[in-house]
Amino acid sequence: MPPLNTSHPSPVTFLLVGIPGLEHLHVWIGIPFCSMYLLATVGNVTILAVVRAERSLHEPMFLFLCMLSVTDLVLSTSTLPRMLCLFWFGARDIALDACLTQMFFIHSFTAMESGFFLAMAIDRYVAICHPLRHTTILTHARICIMGILVVIRGVVFFSPHPILLKQLPYCRSRIIAHTYCEFMAVVKLACKDVGATKSYSLSMASIIGSCDAILIAVSYAFILRSVFRLPSREASFKALGTCGSHDDAITTANIMLTCNRTNLQPTIFLLIGIPGLEAAHIWISIPFCLVYLLSVMGNIVLLLIIKTDHQLHEPMYLFLCMLSVVDLMLTSSTLPKILSLFWFNDREIYFEACLTQMYLVHSLSTMESGFILAMAFDRYIAICHPLRHSTVLTPAVIVGLGLVVVFRGAILLSPHPFLLRWLSYCRTNVISHTYCEFMALIKLVCTETKIRKAYSLIVAFLTGGLDFILIICSYALILLTVFNLPSKAARLKTLSTCVSHVFGHHIAPHVHIIIANIYLLIPPMMNPIIY
């Protein structure tokens, strides 16, 4: 493509390439993206309709959730329809103003999404730490103000983006090697120095993302401090249960059925599914099935790409392979049984099978957290000690770390089935859940279970909590190393190295673009399912 006339400050149109190297597969690639978009749209519209119709849900948590749903709808709609036109109809042209508008929507609404997560974390903090003042602190007026502030922040901080890019001359090319107009993809086409523009964009993204993440972590720290300062252990468990129920995606209900008290262990448990929504199971199963299929396909494709591309045989991607295997096992241990329950009303599950499923869910979740920590450790070595990266993380060390993560999950969670195996279940054999989960099972026990609950919570905090703290520490050390560099150019170069190490500086362009598109789609698709 010949360079554009430099006498014009901006081209009339840009050309979107799509996914470079995979143009012949665009029609097929569009199918899973369309499925995710439809799932995100249906899920978020359902949330808005349910909250609007049910007055009991007109509470701060669900009002913030509605704001998040609107944000997700706008975010996904600003990219996916145009992307599908590119994939299916070859519509590559996009006007400059439309390109800048799309870019503004993507970045500003991503910032709003982060802000609404922070608002929901504040709501949880007030609900747990100051429950008696919850309704007086988070009034409808204050909720509206918080929502307006989040929107204004996203608009104000990212409105300079299109203004800065509008004034740049584009003399290199008008081809954008992406599926949508993304800031860095567009700014690469400018033929003048754009260091200040890039610095502003990176600063805004870092400030907003980092501040929100830190404040969310602080809110949870205050919640845990308040819980552990309660005078009695029973009050602590109750507060933790309130915290957990505030985030849970499934509405739990205790169904008390009469059962023979002499029956120590039921042979068969009955899974209820989602209490109160049994009539809608067949429809609820559709997004679950799509998510399962996309998860399986995505992880298998990732494993195949890393296996065939020798440039990806690096510590980061080897840990990513381990994480993909764990994710495949985790979803396969629950989703097939859930779909069998939804589609065929197959509610029965044998006691031993229930304990096995429970063990796999909790142990594999712990392994997942461990592999994410291992990837954070790899990033710390790569940025803070780049010359020692290949000597510290040798293949033997990588295998050793993987085995430690696996053994940690397997050993720490192995007491769970044994603790439940010898208890007497005299209340009911009905589990108010879609799968066998530790807390859902232990509610059915008619003997003292405080020690078992305490062990479960301690293990959860020692694995998930410790992993989270270590990940935060690794990023803190990375930032400390970066800001101690003598020059601004060196700091920017190191930050870009850090980002490229996360997303891969040797990965083919199509992998970058696929990851970017999935990043835009996964939160809008998953938020309705989670909440």
Side-chain angles (χ1 to χ4, degrees), residues 122-135:
I122 293 172
D123 169 74
R124 288 190 284 274
Y125 161 72
V126 176
I128 304 305
C129 299
H130 306 283
L132 299 179
R133 299 172 57 197
H134 185 231
T135 55

Side-chain angles (χ1 to χ4, degrees), residues 266-269 337 347-356 436:
T267 305
I268 293 175
F269 281 120
K337 179 59 182 173
R347 300 172 62 198
E348 296 182 351
I349 183 169
Y350 286 101
F351 183 61
E352 301 295 343
C354 186
L355 294 181
T356 302
C436 293

Side-chain angles (χ1 to χ4, degrees), residues 364-377:
L364 291 171
S365 297
T366 302
M367 294 177 200
E368 188 177 45
S369 173
F371 284 124
I372 294 173
L373 173 60
M375 294 164 74
F377 176 68

Side-chain angles (χ1 to χ4, degrees), residues 188-492:
K188 287 178 182 177
L189 307 181
C191 56
K192 63 178 291 187
D193 182 32
V194 291
T197 306
K198 285 184 177 179
S199 298
Y200 176 80
S201 178
L202 288 173
S203 299
M204 289 302 99
S206 301
I207 290 171
I208 290 176
S210 301
C211 287
D212 288 352
I214 291 170
L215 290 173
I216 289 171
V218 169
S219 71
Y220 279 106
F222 279 118
I223 288 172
L224 292 177
R225 189 187 69 169
S226 298
V227 168
F228 290 120
R229 282 185 173 182
L230 292 174
S232 66
R233 190 165 57 178
E234 291 78 6
S236 298
F237 283 131
K238 184 177 180 181
L240 284 173
T242 306
C243 181
S245 63
H246 203 258
D247 290 322
D248 209 316
I250 299 174
T251 304
T252 57
N254 292 321
I255 301 176
M256 303 303 294
L257 300 176
T258 305
C259 184
N260 188 349
R261 299 186 69 90
T262 61
N263 184 13
L264 295 180
Q265 296 167 357
T267 305
I268 293 175
F269 281 120
L270 295 177
L271 293 167
I272 281 291
I274 303 179
L277 295 178
E278 291 86 348
H281 275 176
I282 189 66
W283 303 107
I284 296 171
S285 67
I286 297 173
F288 277 87
C289 183
L290 287 173
V291 170
Y292 177 55
L293 292 175
L294 290 170
S295 173
V296 171
M297 288 190 296
N299 283 293
I300 290 175
V301 168
L302 182 63
L303 290 170
L304 290 175
I305 289 175
I306 294 176
K307 180 184 177 183
T308 55
D309 193 341
H310 292 287
Q311 291 182 331
L312 301 182
H313 292 182
E314 298 179 0
M316 178 71 177
Y317 303 107
L318 296 177
F319 288 132
L320 189 57
C321 282
M322 300 176 193
L323 182 63
S324 292
V325 172
V326 170
D327 285 340
L328 282 171
M329 295 177 65
L330 184 58
T331 53
S332 297
S333 66
T334 53
L335 264 294
K337 179 59 182 173
I338 292 174
L339 295 176
S340 178
L341 165 66
F342 286 165
W343 287 343
F344 309 113
N345 199 29
D346 182 15
R347 300 172 62 198
E348 296 182 351
I349 183 169
Y350 286 101
F351 183 61
E352 301 295 343
C354 186
L355 294 181
T356 302
Q357 185 188 61
M358 181 202 65
Y359 172 70
L360 288 175
V361 168
H362 292 287
S363 61
L364 291 171
S365 297
T366 302
M367 294 177 200
E368 188 177 45
S369 173
F371 284 124
I372 294 173
L373 173 60
M375 294 164 74
F377 176 68
D378 167 76
R379 290 190 283 274
Y380 162 71
I381 298 295
I383 305 304
C384 299
H385 305 284
L387 299 179
R388 300 173 56 195
H389 184 240
S390 58
T391 57
V392 172
L393 288 174
T394 61
V397 172
I398 294 169
V399 173
L401 286 173
L403 291 175
V404 168
V405 169
V406 171
F407 282 125
R408 185 189 70 162
I411 292 172
L412 289 179
L413 278 301
S414 58
H416 274 55
F418 292 105
L419 290 172
L420 294 177
R421 182 70 177 80
W422 307 110
L423 293 176
S424 57
Y425 297 82
C426 54
R427 295 180 179 176
T428 177
N429 68 334
V430 176
I431 301 173
S432 298
H433 214 298
T434 53
Y435 61 87
C436 293
E437 190 263 342
F438 182 81
M439 288 300 177
L441 271 174
I442 209 163
K443 288 178 182 178
L444 311 181
V445 175
C446 56
T447 57
E448 180 59 49
T449 58
K450 290 181 180 178
I451 296 177
R452 293 166 178 82
K453 286 182 180 179
Y455 177 80
S456 177
L457 290 171
I458 289 170
V459 169
F461 283 125
L462 286 179
T463 53
L466 187 60
D467 289 351
F468 178 76
I469 292 170
L470 291 174
I471 290 170
I472 294 296
C473 289
S474 71
Y475 279 106
L477 291 172
I478 288 172
L479 291 176
L480 184 64
T481 302
V482 169
F483 290 121
N484 281 336
L485 293 174
S487 66
K488 181 179 178 181
R491 289 194 292 271
L492 289 174

